Amino acid sequence: MRIQTNPDTVPEPLPHALVAPARRRMGVAERERQILDGAIQFFAVHGFDGQLRDLAKSIGVTHTLLYHYFPTKQALIDRVYLEVFEGRWRAEWDALLDDPDRSVEDKFTAFYSEYVTITLSQEFVRILVFSGLTDHTITDRFFAMLRARLFPRLIRETRRFRGLVSRAKASEREMELLMGLHGGFFYISMRRWIYAQDVYSESAHEGYDEPLVRDRVRAYLLASRELFGETTGNVRKRAPRR
């Protein structure tokens, strides 16, 4: 035990490095943002079987505080869905696909170039896969949005490309062909974020260039000829050989 021989002496201050920084009190919105960002990362790593106590510990908040902001685990999952899935959908994509003055090939290429980059992030892909392996809560909601907002537009534009004006329900062949296009872009991100493989080269393992998107779109539009016959739409017919 150290005996203080001069009680009137003021103790020397601790070195700055040893002084614990004062905690800054977060506002409600900032704290909710902290919890939400932490939950997105947590679910992307551990899936939905992870315990909220472990989530709270990883964020650095108490279990009680977490429940103050999100009373149930489902409430937190619902908020993650809105943030990661619906929140990344851009209204301008609707306008892009509805634009009658742009070619179908250019519209599809522009849309999927942004969709792969903006939407199919590591958190998006891993959370969607984890949901598909558990209760399907997020996958069901997300695919319902695609069926309502995206797929009808893509089917309509594919028909337009082939010179067909029809509001009939998409046939099974039409949908399967379209899912080959759409699912192919998702698989790019599966390779990246699930299998940890380079997308197409070691030098550009996190990118997917516009020409590669266009290649897939052209292959899809070319295959659509089998469904609708020869085009009267946007494809240029080759001049006969002489």
Side-chain angles (χ1 to χ4, degrees), residues 4 8-9 23 30 75 79 82 119 126-127 147 157-158 168 188 190 201 232:
Q4 185 171 341
D8 295 329
T9 302
R23 285 190 174 185
E30 189 177 6
R79 185 69 176 81
L82 293 175
T119 303
R126 291 184 61 87
I127 289 174
R147 285 191 293 269
E157 291 303 303
T158 304
I188 294 167
M190 287 277 290
S201 73
T232 57

Side-chain angles (χ1 to χ4, degrees), residues 126-180:
R126 291 184 61 87
I127 289 174
L128 192 69
V129 170
F130 276 126
S131 176
L133 293 172
T134 52
D135 63 358
H136 298 181
T137 299
I138 284 180
T139 53
D140 287 349
R141 292 178 66 180
F142 179 64
F143 278 99
M145 184 186 78
L146 293 182
R147 285 191 293 269
R149 195 165 187 174
L150 177 62
F151 295 159
R153 283 186 164 91
L154 298 180
I155 291 293
R156 179 199 65 203
E157 291 303 303
T158 304
R159 291 172 174 178
R160 175 188 164 216
F161 181 83
R162 288 298 171 191
L164 178 66
V165 179
S166 172
R167 295 186 178 181
K169 181 180 178 180
S171 68
E172 181 178 339
R173 287 187 68 193
E174 284 180 286
M175 283 306 304
E176 284 302 306
L177 184 62
L178 177 61
M179 291 308 295

Side-chain angles (χ1 to χ4, degrees), residues 28 44 46 84 103 116 199:
V28 172
H46 302 287
V84 177
S103 73
V116 171
V199 173

Side-chain angles (χ1 to χ4, degrees), residues 43-235:
F43 290 141
V45 173
H46 302 287
F48 298 104
D49 292 332
Q51 298 298 311
L52 291 191
R53 288 187 182 277
D54 295 331
L55 167 60
K57 185 177 180 179
S58 71
I59 298 173
V61 302
T62 65
H63 197 206
T64 302
L65 182 62
L66 190 152
Y67 271 106
H68 174 73
Y69 284 87
F70 298 96
T72 66
K73 187 175 183 179
Q74 188 58 51
L76 182 55
I77 291 174
D78 289 342
R79 185 69 176 81
V80 166
Y81 169 78
L82 293 175
E83 179 75 16
V84 177
F85 294 85
E86 288 194 10
R88 294 186 183 180
W89 186 271
R90 294 188 170 184
E92 53 263 37
W93 289 341
D94 298 340
L96 166 67
L97 294 172
D98 290 342
D99 186 354
D101 297 324
R102 296 186 66 172
S103 73
V104 175
E105 180 184 311
D106 286 347
K107 289 195 288 188
F108 280 27
T109 301
F111 167 72
Y112 277 113
S113 293
E114 291 194 3
Y115 183 79
V116 171
T117 303
I118 295 171
T119 303
L120 302 183
S121 66
Q122 182 178 18
E123 307 87 54
F124 178 103
V125 172
R126 291 184 61 87
I127 289 174
L128 192 69
V129 170
F130 276 126
S131 176
L133 293 172
T134 52
D135 63 358
H136 298 181
T137 299
I138 284 180
T139 53
D140 287 349
R141 292 178 66 180
F142 179 64
F143 278 99
M145 184 186 78
L146 293 182
R147 285 191 293 269
R149 195 165 187 174
L150 177 62
F151 295 159
R153 283 186 164 91
L154 298 180
I155 291 293
R156 179 199 65 203
E157 291 303 303
T158 304
R159 291 172 174 178
R160 175 188 164 216
F161 181 83
R162 288 298 171 191
L164 178 66
V165 179
S166 172
R167 295 186 178 181
K169 181 180 178 180
S171 68
E172 181 178 339
R173 287 187 68 193
E174 284 180 286
M175 283 306 304
E176 284 302 306
L177 184 62
L178 177 61
M179 291 308 295
L181 173 69
H182 188 81
F185 287 114
F186 184 74
Y187 183 66
I188 294 167
S189 296
M190 287 277 290
R191 287 155 54 194
R192 181 183 298 158
W193 303 125
I194 302 298
Y195 306 135
Q197 300 296 309
D198 293 325
V199 173
Y200 62 92
S201 73
E202 293 183 2
S203 62
H205 63 279
E206 291 193 3
Y208 201 73
D209 295 340
E210 185 268 351
L212 299 178
V213 175
R214 189 174 293 275
D215 287 345
R216 288 174 176 263
V217 169
R218 284 177 174 170
Y220 164 76
L221 293 175
L222 180 63
S224 70
R225 180 174 58 188
E226 298 298 321
L227 295 176
F228 305 116
E230 289 295 331
T231 180
T232 57
N234 297 329
V235 170

